[in-house]
Amino acid sequence: MIIAANLKTNLTRKQTRLYVNELETYIKQNNIKQDILVFPATSSLDIHSGKVVLGAQNAYPTQNGAFTGEIGLDQLEEFLIKTVLIGHSERRHVLGESQDELVKKFNYYKDLGFKIIYCVGEPLEKREAGKEEMMKYIASQYEGIDTSYENLIIAYEPVWAIGTGLTPTLEDIELIHTDLKEKSHAPLLYGGSVKVTNAKEVLELKNVDGILVGSAALYSEHFCTMIQFAQDISQ
Ligand code: PEP
C-alpha cells in the first residue's frame, strides 16, 4: 500500500528532518514494507536516503528560468527529488491552477520519468448536483492526462473533505474508487480528513490502494499508526 503525507505549509526544515527521522525509526523497528511518501514544504526539501521517499508538493514545468516564486527541475535535482504532487485541490481551487496548466506540468515531469501523484476530486456543489454531474466533473480532471503512465498514482480527494473533518461514507468511497479504477489502473489513494480513527476502515475498502493524509499526518505518531494499519491489512 501507499501511505502519503502532505505536510502543506507546515513544519520548518529542522522539524521536517526530525519528523522524517521519526518515521524512519518506526519503519525500521517494525519492518514496514509499505511505500511511504512525504511531501514537505518546498523549503524543507532535502536529500534523503531511507525508506521514506520525499516528493515536491508542486513544481513548475521548467528546468529553470524567470518564474518568480516557483521551483523547477534544477531545484528538485539538487535534492534528488523524483516525485511530485500535481493537481492538489489547494493548487486548483485556492491558487487557481487550470487543467491546462496541470497537464503541462504532468507532461513535463512524466517525460522525465517522475513518480506523479495526480489529485482529482469534486467540490461540494458538484457532489450535491448528483452522481452524473459529479463524475462528469471528475472526468474533466482526467482530460489530457496519460492515465496509463507507469509511474502514476492517482489520489481521489473530494475538495469538501479536505481539512474539514467531513468524509464521504465508506460505501461512497468504495463506489467512486470502483468507477475511477475504470479510468486508470494506476494505484488509487483516498484523501480527505483521514485520521487515526478512520484510516483502517478506509484502507480496508476495495479499490483503495492507500491514503493521502494532510493534517493528521503532521503528528508522526498518528502517521505511524496509519502506516501500521496498512502493514497489518497487507499481511
Ligand atoms: C490533503 O491535503 O491532501 C488532505 C487530504 O488533507 P486532510 O487530510 O487534512 O484533509
Side-chain angles (χ1 to χ4, degrees):
M1 285 189 164
I2 300 160
I3 311 299
N6 175 14
L7 303 182
K8 311 193 190 199
T9 316
N10 295 299
L11 305 190
T12 61
R13 189 171 187 77
K14 195 170 158 192
Q15 288 167 333
T16 304
R17 196 171 298 137
L18 196 69
Y19 174 88
V20 173
N21 287 342
E22 282 167 3
L23 299 189
E24 288 291 358
T25 303
Y26 186 88
I27 289 166
K28 207 165 170 195
Q29 281 173 353
N30 295 280
N31 197 21
I32 299 293
K33 304 274 189 248
Q34 312 308 304
D35 293 327
I36 313 301
L37 307 176
V38 173
F39 296 91
T42 302
S43 60
S44 302
L45 288 175
D46 211 346
I47 293 182
H48 177 73
S49 56
K51 181 92 172 85
V52 175
V53 172
L54 295 190
Q57 293 175 15
N58 173 51
Y60 204 71
T62 187
Q63 175 108 28
N64 51 45
F67 304 101
T68 303
E70 295 285 338
I71 59 162
L73 185 62
D74 280 353
Q75 289 73 36
L76 296 176
E77 281 183 333
E78 182 180 16
F79 299 123
L80 311 178
I81 302 295
K82 291 286 287 174
T83 302
V84 65
L85 198 63
I86 295 180
H88 187 276
S89 88
E90 284 146 19
R91 303 286 322 171
R92 289 181 192 267
H93 299 284
V94 180
L95 296 152
E97 277 183 18
S98 67
Q99 186 65 16
D100 281 355
E101 285 171 296
L102 297 174
V103 168
K104 280 189 195 129
K105 288 184 182 187
F106 186 95
N107 288 335
Y108 184 83
Y109 287 101
K110 177 194 140 188
D111 289 347
L112 292 162
F114 270 58
K115 189 188 285 283
I116 297 176
I117 290 67
Y118 181 71
C119 304
V120 299
E122 79 289 353
L124 190 58
E125 69 269 20
K126 294 291 170 189
R127 166 155 289 242
E128 287 176 344
K131 174 117 193 257
E132 203 182 310
E133 197 58 32
M134 178 179 107
M135 293 314 285
K136 211 165 104 192
Y137 180 87
I138 299 174
S140 73
Q141 298 179 319
Y142 281 75
E143 274 167 25
I145 300 299
D146 176 1
T147 53
S148 57
Y149 174 48
E150 57 182 356
N151 281 327
L152 171 64
I153 297 170
I154 296 175
Y156 168 62
E157 301 202 300
V159 180
W160 54 274
I162 296 181
T164 58
L166 303 171
T167 54
T169 62
L170 294 172
E171 208 183 350
D172 273 352
I173 296 174
E174 194 166 274
L175 280 173
I176 294 169
H177 273 234
T178 303
D179 280 359
L180 296 184
K181 276 281 181 174
E182 280 175 23
K183 294 187 184 299
S184 170
H185 296 306
L188 183 57
L189 315 185
Y190 170 77
S193 294
V194 174
K195 36 189 174 306
V196 169
T197 47
N198 62 10
K200 188 165 180 289
E201 300 166 317
V202 172
L203 286 165
E204 279 169 343
L205 295 173
K206 206 170 122 217
N207 290 323
V208 170
D209 303 305
I211 45 178
L212 175 54
V213 190
S215 340
L218 288 175
Y219 305 93
S220 60
E221 327 82 80
H222 289 207
F223 194 54
C224 287
T225 303
M226 296 187 235
I227 291 172
Q228 189 63 52
F229 288 151
Q231 176 85 359
D232 295 344
I233 292 165
S234 303
Q235 274 166 2

